[in-house]
Amino acid sequence: MTRIYDEDLTGGMATRAIHAGQRPDPVSGAIMTPLYLTSTYVQESIGVNKGYEYARGKNPTRQALERNVATLEGGTHGFAFSSGMGCLDSIMKLFRAGDHIVCGENVYGGTFRLFDRILRHFGLSFTYVDTDDPQRVADAMTPSTRALLVETPTNPLMRLTDLAAMSDIAKRHQALLIVDNTFATPIFQRPLETGADIVWHSSTKYLNGHSDMIGGIAVTSNEELATRLQFILNAAGAVPGPFDAWLCLRGTKTLAIRMKAHDANGREVAGWLATRLGHERVLYAGLESHPQHALAARQMSGFGGMISIELGTRERVKTMLDRVRLFSLAESLGGVESLISHPASMTHASVEADRRAELGITEGLVRLSVGVEDAADLLGDLEQALHGL
């Protein structure tokens, strides 16, 4: 298990992002965590080592990242994985055939694909519900329910879930509450503090923030869960290489200031889009017109840079996407550069068309990941891309 290194560290989130879980290298004094490129550790004698035996189980660079993110989330144990989906798949190995999972209906398409195309064939069952409504969630719980899994804000419809209410429901049914915190990051939302048992991220996104690595990370404060997750991490082996861990750790150092910039740009772009397209066509929790704005303001300390807009038809979407210059057409999100995507044909292409329609993921829906460029330049790009639409 990887416990945080500096349990007595105090200070704000920016301070923690830079310092938590790390100390200068004891050999050289290097202030940046070294890149430990090794698979094997020499042991002093049988059963005597420096805490490392084989790099699949532990790597010092990876541990620094795990401690850092655990501290940011307010947890005590972190576990880094080779991808966001590798992380979620490993979390799901906590369960066994016959177990039932209640899942938010509007989650990332890859989450649904993993559950529907793979894990249900191993005996797990899933019920998808609108987690906007706690009563629907409570009604979906059964005696065999072992976990409630939510994503907030959701991808790509930007719906919010009341985490305190979900925690109450999960606890009443002796189920785990698992929260995907990728969009909000620990800078704007810390689910463990409202009762979540496990928080996880695609660290590819905002935690890294530079679009140059793939990774996932899970955090918990539950000792039993931590022991089981460490066993799964080592036994199943979905671990990141040390360079990916190092890149993500470099990214978390600027997470606090980047998220402030994403948030400032997100608010400005969303406000402009609402004026340009109409508030009903812009999905952003920071807008007072968002139906769950009050919940977002209570549960989050910022709203970030993720926005979705409804253009009505695929033809209008194609026109816009062909015109953008600063916004790059791409699948991912959370980097310093602004990205734009068409969820129906990209992130949620694996979700059946009928199901997408039921959820509201239309052919006219566009998702924006607003970067940290100058806001005026982003607005100029959107203005020329939307001209005449």
Side-chain angles (χ1 to χ4, degrees), residues 53 62 82 117 135 182 216 256 292 321 323 325-326 330 341 363 369:
E53 300 174 66
R62 189 171 85 226
S82 55
R117 304 283 182 87
Q135 188 57 54
T182 298
Q292 296 173 295
L321 298 185
R323 289 176 177 176
R325 295 295 177 265
L326 273 180
S341 69
E363 290 293 329
S369 173

Side-chain angles (χ1 to χ4, degrees), residues 132-145:
D132 297 4
D133 184 353
Q135 188 57 54
R136 291 185 183 182
V137 176
D139 291 344
M141 305 293 280
T142 74
S144 62
T145 303

Side-chain angles (χ1 to χ4, degrees), residues 292-310:
Q292 296 173 295
H293 176 72
L295 172 60
R298 182 174 75 247
Q299 187 168 272
M300 303 169 70
S301 58
F303 307 110
M306 297 304 300
I307 305 168
S308 288
I309 60 175
E310 177 58 61

Side-chain angles (χ1 to χ4, degrees), residues 343-344 348-363:
H348 288 68
S350 61
V351 180
E352 293 87 350
D354 289 348
R355 180 174 173 78
R356 289 200 305 267
E358 289 175 5
L359 294 174
I361 303 174
T362 69
E363 290 293 329

Side-chain angles (χ1 to χ4, degrees), residues 89 115 121 148 191 276 346 361 367 369 389:
D89 182 64
F115 292 175
H121 298 300
L148 167 57
R276 175 69 169 72
M346 298 171 75
I361 303 174
R367 192 193 71 185
S369 173
L389 294 181

